[in-house]
Amino acid sequence: MSTAEPPSVTASYAHAVLSATAGGGGGSGPWALPTDRLEYGEMRALWDGVLAAGDAGPHTGLLVGDRIRPDGLHILGHLVLTCASLAEAAEAAERYHPLVSQAGTVTLDRGGGVGRIGYRPTVGPPAMHPQQVEAVVSSMVRAARWIAGDDWAPLAVSFAHPRAGAAEPYARVFGCAVVFDAAENAITVADEDLDRRRPLHDPALNALHRAYADRLLDRLSAAGTVAGGVRRWLDRAALEDASPEGPAQQLNLSVRSLRRALHTEGTSWRALLDAARHARARRLLETTDLPLDRIAPLVGLSGATALVRAFTRWEGLPPGAYRSRFRADTTRC
């Protein structure tokens, strides 16, 4: 599936990446304001340059993320600084991460006494260096320490890619067990850490930052394409009865116009619905104990057999095996 909607990254993060490299000079770019945005291809090219530098190594991404300051995440960084708890900060990251980058999504799932803050790229593996993923995850741990203190550490960290380089820098940066070749990129945090209230925080300032972030998010969403609007609609829709009439009505389009616009953008209703079913099925397998015949209708499929067939096409393994592998990785963490 292709799409004409390129993800973008805020200029403040691009500058922060350049500033956090060993040279620390901050680099330069054609971005006048922190809120300017660059297409993801430009961000990838920036990382290509960072990783090709003579002082780069296998841990460059890890260290770049650990050096991120609040202004590097623009309004999200300042919002995190005024949150009352790690849980509130994680929920803010889940909602407002697109303001920093649309090349990935942040999720917070809780259960069994822990929370898992996940990061999933929205671009294909060839388009994102594993070191970029490590920079995002280590920057999230660094942001958590703005609230919890510099000596705070998560229970575990996992990455979906193999490890490159020695293990010691990961242990030093994260202060916990780090697993590679896992089912997901995630930070595991104890519920008591997530919910511990800060003794001093400013709810009024937090509300101001949140209102500004909401305005920026609305502006970013308004600038999106029809495909982006359909994806957002599908994220919230009941997939068992999803049809193009729903997003068409929300976008003030006829179904015919919506289909034509999606075709122009290089995708289709069928492809977007299939991607939404995939994402929903994976989330339900990871976070619930529902049997396959209960999950199938929730993702709009006729039954367990159809789910097994579709999920094997999506992931290369059946849903039961995916759930077992995910839980084994979680237990190992």
Side-chain angles (χ1 to χ4, degrees), residues 30-71:
W31 323 298
L33 299 172
T35 49
D36 286 348
R37 301 192 71 90
L38 55 154
E39 288 191 4
Y40 176 72
E42 296 178 76
M43 192 67 193
R44 167 61 190 239
L46 182 153
W47 271 100
D48 287 343
V50 166
L51 297 177
D55 53 9
H59 304 105
T60 294
L62 174 75
L63 299 176
V64 163
D66 190 47
R67 294 168 185 154
I68 290 290
R69 300 179 304 179
D71 57 347

Side-chain angles (χ1 to χ4, degrees), residues 95-310:
R95 175 171 173 78
Y96 298 112
H97 182 74
L99 295 177
V100 180
S101 172
Q102 293 173 302
T105 60
V106 174
T107 57
L108 172 62
D109 295 307
R110 302 186 67 167
V114 301
R116 293 178 68 83
I117 304 166
Y119 176 73
R120 181 166 292 153
T122 54
V123 296
M128 183 173 284
H129 289 292
Q131 294 212 38
Q132 289 177 259
V133 175
E134 293 182 8
V136 172
V137 173
S138 61
S139 71
M140 289 197 290
V141 171
R142 171 52 55 197
R145 288 175 175 148
W146 301 337
I147 297 175
D150 286 339
D151 59 348
W152 176 84
L155 294 176
V157 169
S158 64
F159 290 106
H161 55 262
R163 193 184 80 208
E168 188 277 333
Y170 295 98
R172 174 163 41 84
V173 167
F174 294 122
C176 67
V178 183
V179 175
F180 293 85
D181 288 314
E184 62 174 349
N185 310 301
I187 303 162
T188 303
V189 184
D191 274 352
E192 61 181 351
D193 284 351
L194 281 171
D195 295 327
R196 185 178 297 117
R197 305 286 290 183
R198 300 175 74 183
L200 296 174
H201 71 281
D202 190 335
L205 186 56
N206 179 268
L208 287 173
H209 287 323
R210 194 174 294 271
Y212 179 48
D214 280 330
R215 290 197 299 273
L216 291 179
L217 197 62
D218 288 343
R219 189 184 309 166
L220 184 63
S221 298
T225 62
V226 170
V230 172
R231 290 191 188 97
R232 288 188 290 276
W233 185 88
L234 284 166
D235 282 343
R236 301 185 297 269
L239 297 182
E240 55 266 42
D241 55 4
S243 69
E245 284 78 5
Q249 182 178 11
Q250 181 169 301
L251 296 169
N252 296 313
L253 295 170
S254 68
V255 171
R256 182 177 179 183
S257 295
L258 180 137
R259 291 186 184 277
R260 186 164 55 242
L262 293 177
H263 178 75
T264 300
E265 293 173 12
T267 187
S268 67
W269 164 255
R270 183 183 297 274
L272 295 175
L273 178 60
D274 190 62
R277 286 172 170 164
H278 178 194
R280 187 80 55 88
R282 187 162 53 187
R283 186 161 63 249
L284 288 168
L285 287 166
E286 292 172 357
T287 61
T288 76
D289 294 317
L290 291 173
L292 300 187
D293 60 355
R294 291 277 305 281
I295 291 177
L298 295 177
V299 299
L301 296 173
S302 59
T305 300
L307 176 61
V308 170
R309 185 166 56 247

